[in-house]
Amino acid sequence: MTTRTSTKKSVGNGFVEHATPLLREYTAKLEESVRNADELHDLYYLAELENGESERGSSASKRLQDERRRSIRERLARIQSRVKKLTPAINQLDRQVSQMIEHGELGSELERVELKLRLNELEDMLAAARKIKSSFPTAG
Amino acid sequence: MPDPSIEWSDAEDGGKWLWDNYTRIRAVWADLASWMRGTRASGESEEEAQEPGILILGPGGVGKSTFAKLMTDAVHPLADMPVQYDESMDVESYTLEPPGDGGETEFVVLPGQQHRRADSWPELLRDVQDGRFRGAILFSAFGHHALGDVSYKDSALYAEHGRKKPAFLRAFLQKCRDDELRVLSDLATHLKLCSRPVWMLSVVTKQDLWWNVRSAVEDHYQSGPYSAIIDEVRNHRGAKSFRHEMVFASLIIRRLMTGRGELLKNNVAGYDQEYQLRSLWQLAVTIDALRQWEQGK
Ligand SMILES: Nc1nc2c(ncn2[C@@H]2O[C@H](COP(=O)(O)OP(=O)(O)O)[C@@H](O)[C@H]2O)c(=O)[nH]1
């Protein structure tokens, strides 16, 4: 939280003070989802490569590879479901902030700019999170 | 296209009258929608003919998405209208009928909030200049823009006007009308430089909210600064390469409320679905006139 606004009289029912941490928190959550999904894609790709190499290996090592890929798929599905659950409330937050930027009584124009920048970050991350792919690349 | 000089039947049952006539309007709109997807003008390559689409713009909350949904049959004005105003966050595209031929939609609706304009408008307005659009539909609402998920009591204008609702509303409507002119002025700059013949349709929505002062509204758009800007474009381009039409309409009938459920203004008593349907018909006839112009008739 910033201390910048805490000393002056709260304008717009303290909207900026309430909205800023929420915008940060959900941008970070989405960012984490996108990062984790990227890592899972990399892991899956590696597992595919290794699978190709162990094609002639023991059936035990093939089972292990299958198990790894299944686990990666499950983790990705969990990330997607998390993003899906977060999206409606994030959209609501987005629209409230947007309307305050457009019409709201705020402490200063700088606060309006700050909200706009944070909203842009949230929207960029939401767009990236929506693009998380459920299918994996296959090696070869 | 079905004959646009509709004969309004005098059905005794008002509901049937509405339904029958709306069905006729739908037939016309389906036809217009397929024209909007892109017709090939003589001398154009296939690629050129595919490209130019229609740009829909205007400030936030004036009816752009509602219109696009009406045209694409996603909503029915007499039956199922959305109650909640959901602000568009990004550029929206709509697929126009007929389905199945796989063509890319070129029905582009821009988000209208001022703070979103810097993100998407400059590029699309440049596209207007570069001839990517055959026509632009500019929406206004005589200032009756929807307030989304915000209370009017949290607005800067409310604070600036003594925290009194009537004073707030007057100032809000005025501010929104000023913004309508700003948007027109932005569009006009690019229309003047557009590299192809282009038409523009001004749709003034929410007739149900300003019907009691309709002559003032008509004056505002037809003899005030709005029409002066249109005249500038026309004089700059000449009638052969620019055509403008204007229509006043009610896409739906509903009170002006904030997203928080606060009433700002009631719809005008006496403005009923018959007036609304006539205005929708006028809209279809006007779009048809633009089509004829585009096709050189
Ligand atoms: N009273 C009235 N409300 C309308 C009319 N057209 C649209 N609305 C409402 O105005 C709000 C904003 O419409 P929308 O199409 O989402 O606006 P956009 O931001 O321009 O796309 C919605 O609640 C619509 O239901 C109209 O002609 N009359």
Side-chain angles (χ1 to χ4, degrees):
Chain A
M1 269 280 274
T2 60
T3 50
R4 176 176 49 79
T5 46
S6 57
T7 48
K8 71 181 174 213
K9 191 177 164 292
S10 174
V11 183
N13 295 323
F15 183 83
V16 178
E17 290 88 327
H18 279 109
T20 306
L22 278 174
L23 288 168
R24 279 211 198 111
E25 181 180 343
Y26 286 94
T27 303
K29 283 201 164 115
L30 292 170
E31 197 170 3
E32 189 193 339
S33 299
V34 171
R35 200 175 40 245
N36 289 344
D38 282 349
E39 281 167 14
L40 286 174
H41 272 91
D42 290 348
L43 273 179
Y44 193 89
Y45 188 68
L46 276 179
E48 278 278 299
L49 281 178
E50 283 169 22
N51 188 41
E53 279 163 16
S54 66
E55 199 68 336
R56 269 158 281 137
S58 70
S59 63
S61 78
K62 277 180 85 178
R63 267 205 308 280
L64 197 67
Q65 294 293 349
D66 286 348
E67 182 56 28
R68 254 176 89 186
R69 280 182 306 200
R70 191 186 57 77
S71 147
I72 294 172
R73 268 199 297 270
E74 275 177 15
R75 279 150 70 195
L76 188 73
R78 275 203 297 278
I79 293 176
Q80 282 183 312
S81 133
R82 185 170 180 238
V83 169
K84 212 168 153 190
K85 277 193 193 129
L86 286 175
T87 301
I90 290 181
N91 280 338
Q92 206 182 338
L93 173 66
D94 184 309
R95 291 196 166 107
Q96 278 191 27
V97 173
S98 168
Q99 290 290 317
M100 282 303 280
I101 296 170
E102 190 81 357
H103 304 287
E105 181 194 9
L106 300 174
S108 68
E109 278 313 298
L110 198 58
E111 285 189 351
R112 216 176 290 279
V113 174
E114 180 183 352
L115 279 181
K116 174 64 185 158
L117 290 171
R118 293 201 185 286
L119 189 67
N120 282 350
E121 280 173 355
L122 180 76
E123 289 180 355
D124 287 350
M125 270 307 142
L126 187 60
R130 284 211 183 105
K131 281 191 202 134
I132 292 176
K133 288 194 203 81
S134 50
S135 61
F136 286 102
T138 45
Chain B
M1 160 145 176
D3 179 9
S5 57
I6 192 168
E7 285 291 322
W8 299 95
S9 55
D10 280 329
E12 278 162 27
D13 175 352
K16 186 173 179 309
W17 182 91
L18 287 170
W19 208 263
D20 288 353
N21 286 309
Y22 187 66
T23 307
R24 295 173 68 184
I25 291 183
R26 270 305 318 149
V28 176
W29 272 4
D31 197 46
L32 291 172
S34 66
W35 161 68
M36 284 180 159
R37 295 189 89 238
T39 37
R40 195 163 159 195
S42 62
E44 275 183 330
S45 72
E46 198 167 329
E47 207 177 53
E48 280 171 334
Q50 291 292 324
E51 263 297 292
I54 288 163
L55 183 67
I56 296 185
L57 78 170
V62 290
K64 301 181 294 295
S65 309
T66 308
F67 170 78
K69 285 175 191 156
L70 281 175
M71 288 299 288
T72 53
D73 237 0
V75 288
H76 192 300
L78 305 178
D80 53 0
M81 268 298 175
V83 178
Q84 169 86 19
Y85 165 50
D86 278 338
E87 174 192 334
S88 315
M89 295 180 204
D90 208 342
V91 176
E92 292 172 356
S93 312
Y94 290 85
T95 310
L96 288 175
E97 300 292 319
D101 59 359
E104 263 292 287
T105 169
E106 271 292 8
F107 207 43
V108 178
V109 184
L110 294 183
Q113 272 61 34
Q114 281 190 43
H115 73 87
R116 294 192 187 283
R117 290 179 200 165
D119 303 335
S120 52
W121 285 36
E123 196 181 329
L124 279 155
L125 285 176
R126 248 194 326 276
D127 284 345
V128 169
Q129 204 168 308
D130 295 344
R132 214 195 111 200
F133 296 102
R134 300 132 64 203
I137 309 184
L138 177 60
F139 280 80
S140 304
F142 196 53
H144 296 73
H145 304 185
L147 267 179
D149 197 353
V150 65
S151 165
Y152 70 90
K153 292 182 181 165
D154 289 333
S155 77
L157 274 186
Y158 183 68
E160 285 161 21
H161 289 82
R163 303 196 179 274
K164 299 270 190 309
K165 190 173 169 182
F168 156 78
L169 189 58
R170 267 195 307 277
F172 177 72
L173 294 176
Q174 186 56 52
K175 187 179 171 211
C176 293
R177 284 195 284 269
D178 292 346
D179 191 40
E180 292 174 359
L181 282 175
R182 245 191 324 270
V183 174
L184 170 64
S185 184
D186 278 358
L187 176 63
T189 306
H190 296 271
L191 284 175
K192 277 187 199 161
L193 300 171
C194 176
S195 56
R196 55 174 289 134
V198 67
W199 53 259
M200 175 185 163
L201 171 62
S202 295
V203 183
V204 184
T205 60
K206 311 206 183 183
Q207 197 173 47
D208 54 302
L209 292 173
W210 48 255
W211 183 243
N212 52 334
V213 291
R214 55 189 175 280
S215 58
V217 177
E218 284 162 17
D219 276 358
H220 175 81
Y221 291 98
Q222 289 173 333
S223 43
Y226 194 101
S227 71
I229 297 174
I230 299 288
D231 287 346
E232 262 178 47
V233 181
R234 196 183 289 111
N235 294 339
H236 188 90
R237 302 201 46 136
K240 274 209 172 110
S241 64
F242 178 72
R243 169 73 176 246
H244 174 257
E245 295 282 348
M246 177 174 285
V247 63
F248 301 92
S250 173
L251 304 180
I252 60 161
I253 297 177
R254 62 171 300 197
R255 295 174 294 166
L256 185 65
M257 314 271 285
T258 69
R260 299 281 167 86
E262 302 150 322
L263 176 69
L264 292 180
K265 193 172 174 185
N266 272 314
N267 49 293
V268 177
Y271 190 96
D272 60 12
Q273 286 185 318
E274 184 177 333
Y275 282 122
Q276 181 198 7
L277 215 55
R278 287 181 193 278
S279 80
L280 293 178
W281 185 256
Q282 196 51 44
L283 182 58
V285 170
T286 310
I287 295 175
D288 186 54
L290 291 167
R291 163 163 75 170
Q292 299 210 18
W293 177 79
E294 190 181 284
Q295 294 171 346
K297 286 183 193 157

